[in-house]
């Protein structure tokens, strides 16, 4: 892969290194500096001319800093005559701003997509966007991956004969149903109503969970309010065991601690699309399992570079 150049922003360099290790290419250096007036400057410290450039940067805290850094990386690559610029964005935080559900409200998901294209992005490689319509916010090609196969490979280690996959809401039910098919389980969903970013109500759970092994599946866990509310409803129905899984383990505002402290939650599973919060004493991570999506990202990058089908990734069995 001689004509490829991979750069990482400062959001998640560990993931970028792992992707490059699977690709068998070096991670090219990036210099990020700050002027006295607090403006950022980015320099890509490897040749980009007529090369296939991949910029790896999830939008995680501080989101605005990492977003501007990514835009400057795109601009630097375009100014260096890159043949094509692909933004590898494992987590797109602005995807949650995807609909006009209040008067005079901004649509950040579409605006930030436009900014990336204006900065020079030729295409985007994303994973588990918050809603399907976000895909259409981009005016350049988008390859949309999911982590269901990685999650399924993990849970197949258990006896799944009495398992139900539970989606916290009907909006995520399609993904939960796809995951349930992968592991041969039943599916259920919560009837959720959101009142604020951290205040939700789940009135009931639609599906059979009594006496069954439950896997709660969501696309991301931020403050954990939805999952905690769902756990209360599930307990009323008497499941045999509870495990929690998601693609993006953001775990903001002490969410990992609160979930770990739930005595009936046996395990919390996420992937490394975002850096997992560190805790020096380890008391919050005893139940946490982090799965790597670097092999899937690396294979998608290889297929994009070689002009091969990316959707075929989901048609082929992946080694476990």
């Amino acid at each position: 892969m001689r004509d490829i150049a991979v750069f990482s922003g400062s959001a998640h360099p560990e993931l970028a290194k792992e992707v490059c290790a699977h690709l068998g290419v070096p991670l090219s250096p990036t210099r990020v500096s700050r002027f006295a007036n607090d403006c950022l400057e980015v320099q890509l410290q490897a040749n980009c001319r007529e090369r296939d450039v991949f910029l790896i940067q999830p939008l995680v805290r501080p989101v605005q800093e990492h977003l501007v850094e990514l835009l400057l990386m795109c601009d630097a690559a375009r100014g260096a005559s890159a043949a094509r610029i692909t933004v590898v964005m494992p987590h797109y935080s602005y995807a949650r701003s995807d609909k006009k559900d209040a008067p005079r409200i901004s649509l950040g998901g579409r605006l930030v997509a436009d900014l990336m294209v204006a900065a020079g992005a030729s295409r985007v490689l994303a994973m588990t966007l918050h809603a399907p319509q976000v895909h259409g916010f981009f005016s350049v090609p988008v390859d949309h991956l999911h982590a269901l196969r990685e999650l399924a490979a993990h849970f197949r280690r258990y006896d799944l004969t009495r398992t139900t996959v539970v989606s916290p809401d009907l909006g995520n039910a399609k993904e939960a149903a796809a995951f349930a098919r992968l592991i041969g389980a039943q599916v259920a969903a919560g009837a959720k109503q959101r009142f604020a970013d951290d205040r939700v109500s789940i009135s009931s759970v639609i599906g059979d969970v009594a006496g069954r092994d439950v896997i709660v599946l969501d696309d991301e866990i931020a403050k954990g309010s939805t999952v905690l509310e769902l756990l209360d409803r599930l307990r009323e129905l008497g499941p045999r065991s509870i495990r929690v899984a998601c693609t993006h383990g953001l775990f903001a505002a002490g969410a990992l601690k609160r979930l770990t402290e739930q005595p009936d939650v046996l395990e919390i599973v996420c992937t490394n699309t975002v850096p997992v919060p560190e805790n020096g004493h380890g008391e919050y991570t005893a139940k946490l399992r982090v799965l790597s999506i670097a092999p899937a990202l690396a294979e998608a990058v290889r297929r994009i570079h070689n002009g091969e089908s990316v959707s075929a990734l989901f048609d082929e069995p992946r080694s476990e």
Side-chain angles (χ1 to χ4, degrees):
M1 303 180 72
R2 185 185 60 194
D3 297 323
I4 189 173
V6 182
F7 298 90
S8 172
S10 58
H12 202 352
E14 296 80 11
L15 176 61
K17 291 174 185 174
E18 195 176 343
V19 169
C20 286
H22 284 281
L23 284 171
V25 301
L27 178 61
S28 300
T30 306
R31 180 183 62 82
V32 180
S33 55
R34 192 180 297 271
F35 291 108
N37 65 356
D38 204 39
C39 292
L40 290 174
E41 181 184 65
V42 170
Q43 182 185 33
L44 304 179
Q45 297 183 306
N47 180 32
C48 298
R49 185 174 296 275
E50 297 305 319
R51 302 184 79 185
D52 203 359
V53 172
F54 292 84
L55 308 175
I56 302 178
Q57 180 90 318
L59 295 187
V60 295
R61 287 177 180 269
V63 173
Q64 281 58 246
E65 291 270 322
H66 290 141
L67 170 59
V68 172
E69 194 177 287
L70 176 58
L71 295 175
L72 293 173
M73 290 169 70
C74 289
D75 182 69
R78 179 174 59 182
S81 302
R84 181 173 62 178
I85 302 166
T86 301
V87 170
V88 181
M89 190 169 47
H91 177 58
Y92 183 33
S93 51
Y94 274 99
R96 293 188 67 163
S97 179
D98 63 341
K99 55 188 174 293
K100 190 172 168 60
D101 54 1
R104 299 170 299 282
I105 198 168
S106 60
L107 280 175
R110 188 185 64 190
L111 172 63
V112 173
D114 288 343
L115 288 174
M116 288 184 205
V117 175
S122 309
R123 68 185 305 126
V124 173
L125 174 61
M127 177 162 279
T128 313
L129 293 169
H130 184 65
Q133 65 264 27
V134 176
H135 190 140
F137 288 177
F138 292 87
S139 58
V140 294
V142 177
D143 291 300
H144 187 198
L145 306 182
H146 62 68
L148 297 184
R149 295 174 77 93
E150 285 74 15
L151 292 168
H154 171 82
F155 283 105
R156 285 194 192 105
R157 302 182 303 167
Y158 303 119
D159 179 6
L160 300 174
T161 53
R162 290 182 56 81
T163 297
T164 298
V165 178
V166 180
S167 168
D169 54 45
L170 298 176
N172 198 57
K174 186 175 181 180
E175 183 179 10
F179 180 65
R181 286 194 297 271
L182 281 175
I183 63 174
Q186 294 184 20
V187 66
K192 184 178 84 171
Q193 184 176 6
R194 181 176 291 278
F195 300 101
D197 183 49
D198 59 350
R199 192 164 63 88
V200 300
S201 172
I202 297 178
S203 58
S204 61
V205 175
I206 305 163
D208 184 16
V209 298
R212 299 184 65 83
D213 300 312
V214 165
I215 300 173
V216 175
L217 179 72
D218 208 350
D219 60 328
E220 69 177 59
I221 296 177
K223 290 186 176 181
S225 53
T226 295
V227 173
L228 291 170
E229 175 76 7
L230 179 61
L231 292 178
D232 288 340
R233 298 291 80 73
L234 289 172
R235 290 175 184 124
E236 297 169 0
L237 300 170
R240 186 167 71 173
S241 68
I242 300 175
R243 288 179 166 86
V244 175
C246 68
T247 300
H248 309 300
L250 302 173
F251 303 126
L256 185 56
K257 178 179 183 293
R258 290 193 296 274
L259 288 173
T260 301
E261 289 174 346
Q262 305 299 308
D264 50 358
V265 173
L266 302 181
E267 187 178 41
I268 304 161
V269 184
C270 68
T271 74
N272 62 343
T273 54
V274 302
V276 176
E278 294 182 1
N279 184 277
H281 305 290
E283 64 261 36
Y284 304 154
T285 57
K287 297 180 180 180
L288 183 66
R289 304 289 181 270
V290 182
L291 312 179
S292 178
I293 48 86
L297 286 176
E299 179 62 15
V301 167
R302 187 191 69 78
R303 287 171 180 253
I304 290 170
H305 177 67
N306 292 335
E308 300 172 5
S309 171
V310 174
S311 61
L313 274 172
F314 305 114
D315 301 330
E316 302 168 1
R318 187 172 299 161
S319 58
E320 300 172 12

